[in-house]
Amino acid sequence: MNILLVYPEFPDTFWSFKHALRFVRKRAGAPPLGLLTVAAMLPPAWKKRLIDLNVNDLKKQDLAWADYVFLSAMIVQRDSARAVIQRCKTAGVKVVAGGPLFTMEHEQFPEVDHFVLNEAEITLAPFLRDLEAGQAQHVYASTEFPDIHLTPVPLWELADLKQYDTISLQFSRGCPFNCDFCNITSLLGHRPRTKTAAQIIAELDSIYAMGWRKSIFFVDDNFIGNKKHIKGEVLPALIEWRKGKSGMPFSTEASINLVDDPELMRLMTRAGFNTVFVGIETPNEDSLTECSKNQNKGRDLVESVKQLQRAGLQVQGGFIVGFDNDSASIFQQQIDFIQKSGIVTAMVGLLQAPLGTRLYERMQNEGRLVDEFSGDNVDGSTNIIPRMGLEPLREGYREILSHIYAPRYYYERVLTFLREYQPPRIRRHLELQHILALWRSIYQLGIRGVERAQYWRLFFWALFRRPRLFPLAITLAIMGFHFRQVTELHVG
Ligand code: B12
């Protein structure tokens, strides 16, 4: 059996990092972990190949080779996924589809032969059994959440790793919190399900053995969802694993209460974590109450962010505007917060209500749902009618984005952050591409760019005042270029 695993193309979005990846000559952020995990669950005798459309084209001969195309996608990849399905139909290849896009809206894709929805640890085996018996059904779905102790090491060797900047791996699924706009708990449950330390070490070993030294993104919904387990077992194992190795800095996603546990922060940075994405959402306490983001309430959020930075963790933040409790002053409040906290990568979006959330239900009951869900929470669109009115919200949103990603404010924020930041000691692994990226940044940002004054100021500040942070300073300058391109795309 020949299985072609296909990952559709991402549009030019905030998280695509397309404009930044050009500097390091990479085609895409990370290989598709879902597909590579599924590949490892297929019979070993089957032949498997991966086409990530963010990296390669899908050629006629690829389709001619395949008995089945296994397709995975997020909602933002909807258009590209449709085009792939169409091509498979024309070529007469059967399509098996899974992953978040199809789990949420498989009815929209009548041409797909088989849907293997939810988590493949439960739904794939019955599909494979039926396929072998020649009686595969149209839809396999489950409301159960599998134990991920048995999830195999993903087949990273199917991906052309040279084309990527990061590798994602997963330690846990699910989140213990209850934010009303987030669909993670309906997709993956409340109780964090974790892998064992041995599983994670086996995954890291296989990546390290392939020669990978660049960053690793732990794509957990909340890495600290089960503190006891990570403090007692996983982080000590990671600290041990890291000894004598170079490169492979870790990043992840976690809730703000990480800052309440200094030992946890210390263990994380010793294990090699240097970046954490945190859902900050809003400095407006009433809006935090409205969306039940209780873990963010009753604390000085700017101070919490700075504590994380001082501990060695760069904080990337998610922000939302458009809560019912937001007034016209929210836009300036968000700008002030973002600038003051030194959150360089600030993902700001309009409040959206994904299917399966409590917010969705409330909006439906109040007759405030509109349109379909774009799936990109940073494109200035929303599927709800905001209380403050759509136009004022969009206008304020544009104001935030054009402010925080304008070179003057962006670079000011980079400096605010770097002044605070105490990076963990991770033995550096220098690659030729990093040096070339520096030259490209000098040309693109320092000579041709509108940000040239700010670029050189940061360049010399880092070089002379904080030389250890110089590579990070250049990386952030390059990311700022990407954010501005995407922002201009959405807000003009
Ligand atoms: C890592 C990640 C990213 C990375 C993607 C890196 C990459 N190239 O893979 C980055 C940071 C770029 C990203 C960005 C975004 N993401 Co994201 N992301 C995730 C996250 C945290 C983990 C994904 C992952 O790798 N999981 C691990 C693998 C093993 O799980 P999986 O892919 O779901 O695969 C399993 C099953 O789905 C199934 N399966 C998957 N594919 C297939 C295919 C077949 C054929 C079969 C049989 C089974 C199958 O089997 C696997 C094993 O069980 C998820 C949340 C989550 N926990 O899943 C959100 C998630 C996928 N992201 C989401 C969203 C909305 C986004 C963004 C729009 C913005 C945002 N809020 O984050 C952007 C859009 C991307 C873009 N470029 O514009 C949503 C998608 C919702 C949807 N229905 O589409 C999710 C589910 C989070 C959420 N709250 O809903 N994201």
Side-chain angles (χ1 to χ4, degrees):
M1 189 80 102
N2 291 343
I3 305 296
L4 192 66
L5 305 141
V6 180
Y7 199 50
E9 196 179 358
F10 283 113
D12 192 359
T13 58
F14 187 89
W15 289 115
S16 72
F17 287 118
K18 270 188 185 160
H19 305 278
L21 290 166
R22 279 193 355 230
F23 286 78
V24 280
R25 297 291 188 265
K26 299 292 169 208
R27 292 268 173 99
L33 182 59
L35 274 180
L36 299 181
T37 306
V38 168
M41 297 177 192
L42 295 176
W46 289 10
K47 295 206 179 72
K48 297 140 200 145
R49 286 177 47 211
L50 170 73
I51 300 280
D52 176 353
L53 291 180
N54 300 285
V55 168
N56 303 109
D57 294 332
L58 178 60
K59 301 201 186 73
K60 269 196 179 143
Q61 55 269 38
D62 299 321
L63 290 173
W65 172 86
D67 293 315
Y68 279 91
V69 160
F70 273 48
L71 182 66
S72 174
M74 296 191 212
I75 291 178
V76 275
Q77 294 158 289
R78 193 191 273 132
D79 291 346
S80 174
R82 255 186 223 295
V84 171
I85 295 167
Q86 212 39 59
R87 288 204 46 200
C88 293
K89 289 293 102 181
T90 312
V93 185
K94 289 202 165 164
V95 179
V96 180
L101 166 67
F102 303 103
T103 294
M104 282 181 80
E105 44 182 75
H106 75 273
E107 305 86 355
Q108 314 277 338
F109 298 89
E111 313 87 343
V112 167
D113 300 277
H114 307 285
F115 291 103
V116 179
L117 307 177
N118 306 100
E119 294 171 71
E121 285 81 353
I122 290 193
T123 49
L124 188 64
F127 165 68
L128 294 177
R129 220 170 27 235
D130 292 352
L131 187 67
E132 204 180 338
Q135 50 187 34
Q137 311 288 304
H138 187 46
V139 181
Y140 293 80
S142 169
T143 50
E144 274 170 58
F145 299 122
D147 180 352
I148 57 174
H149 281 162
L150 294 176
T151 303
V153 175
L155 292 189
W156 280 295
E157 57 271 30
L158 294 181
D160 180 5
L161 296 182
K162 291 189 302 297
Q163 310 289 355
Y164 298 93
D165 190 53
T166 305
I167 285 186
S168 27
L169 63 77
Q170 190 179 42
F171 162 64
S172 69
R173 294 183 195 163
C175 176
F177 292 109
N178 217 358
C179 312
D180 82 340
F181 53 80
C182 178
N183 55 348
I184 279 298
T185 48
S186 73
L187 275 175
L188 297 165
H190 251 132
R191 195 179 55 81
R193 289 165 289 136
T194 57
K195 291 181 182 167
T196 61
Q199 274 177 290
I200 286 300
I201 298 299
E203 297 193 11
L204 287 171
D205 277 341
S206 93
I207 297 170
Y208 199 80
M210 283 186 285
W212 184 266
R213 298 292 178 271
K214 286 178 289 174
S215 55
I216 297 282
F217 178 21
F218 281 69
V219 295
D220 294 26
D221 306 307
N222 188 351
F223 183 72
I224 62 163
N226 183 338
K227 284 191 195 177
K228 200 167 153 230
H229 183 37
I230 60 167
K231 278 166 79 172
E233 196 196 327
V234 178
L235 290 171
L238 291 178
I239 292 170
E240 207 40 47
W241 179 84
R242 184 164 284 284
K243 284 184 184 156
K245 298 199 173 61
S246 65
M248 285 180 75
F250 299 154
S251 63
T252 192
E253 306 183 54
S255 42
I256 194 76
N257 55 317
L258 167 60
V259 77
D260 303 332
D261 192 333
E263 192 204 344
L264 180 53
M265 287 191 287
R266 211 167 30 246
L267 287 170
M268 280 179 68
T269 50
R270 277 185 60 204
F273 285 87
N274 65 6
T275 304
V276 59
F277 180 94
V278 181
I280 304 279
E281 321 312 355
T282 177
N284 180 354
E285 193 80 13
D286 294 334
S287 297
L288 290 173
T289 307
E290 173 188 324
C291 68
S292 309
K293 189 123 193 166
N294 299 328
Q295 67 273 31
N296 287 29
K297 280 170 56 182
R299 60 169 81 237
D300 178 343
L301 282 169
V302 171
E303 185 46 33
S304 297
V305 170
K306 293 205 180 268
Q307 271 174 267
L308 288 166
Q309 294 167 342
R310 274 179 235 131
L313 295 164
Q314 179 190 169
V315 178
Q316 304 181 329
F319 297 88
I320 295 175
V321 286
F323 290 106
D324 287 355
N325 279 283
D326 284 350
S327 66
S329 66
I330 189 62
F331 308 109
Q332 192 57 45
Q333 276 180 50
Q334 290 277 25
I335 292 173
D336 293 343
F337 182 94
I338 291 167
Q339 289 302 116
K340 229 165 119 187
S341 63
I343 294 184
V344 178
T345 301
M347 171 182 91
V348 189
L350 302 191
L351 182 66
Q352 297 183 337
L355 192 68
T357 58
R358 282 187 294 129
L359 181 64
Y360 185 94
E361 255 170 58
R362 179 163 75 85
M363 291 296 116
Q364 196 166 42
N365 291 339
E366 294 177 14
R368 291 168 62 188
L369 276 182
V370 285
D371 277 335
E372 67 170 10
F373 195 48
S374 81
D376 180 357
N377 62 350
V378 201
D379 66 357
S381 71
T382 178
N383 64 339
I384 66 176
I385 300 171
R387 188 148 285 172
M388 72 167 70
L390 194 56
E391 250 338 287
L393 179 59
R394 286 226 173 104
E395 191 44 45
Y397 179 67
R398 278 194 281 269
E399 173 105 18
I400 299 180
L401 286 197
S402 49
H403 190 109
I404 62 172
Y405 289 114
R408 183 173 156 207
Y409 299 103
Y410 180 81
Y411 278 81
E412 186 180 284
R413 207 154 74 244
V414 172
L415 280 170
T416 303
F417 159 60
L418 293 179
R419 283 196 186 101
E420 205 77 40
Y421 188 47
Q422 299 299 331
R425 298 216 166 257
I426 301 166
R427 206 186 303 161
R428 195 162 284 143
H429 182 83
L430 199 64
E431 297 201 5
L432 177 66
Q433 272 309 337
H434 294 149
I435 299 165
L436 295 175
L438 171 65
W439 286 113
R440 289 177 195 125
S441 80
I442 290 176
Y443 175 67
Q444 179 82 40
L445 313 177
I447 297 174
R448 291 183 57 200
V450 290
E451 64 270 69
R452 60 181 91 80
Q454 290 89 3
Y455 174 85
W456 288 114
R457 183 170 167 238
L458 175 67
F459 188 102
F460 288 115
W461 180 88
L463 195 62
F464 293 117
R465 300 274 191 88
R466 303 287 300 277
R468 263 187 76 208
L469 293 180
F470 182 74
L472 178 58
I474 299 300
T475 304
L476 293 174
I478 291 172
M479 279 167 64
F481 175 76
H482 166 77
F483 293 141
R484 213 175 58 246
Q485 306 299 312
V486 190
T487 305
E488 280 167 12
L489 208 69
H490 292 317
V491 301

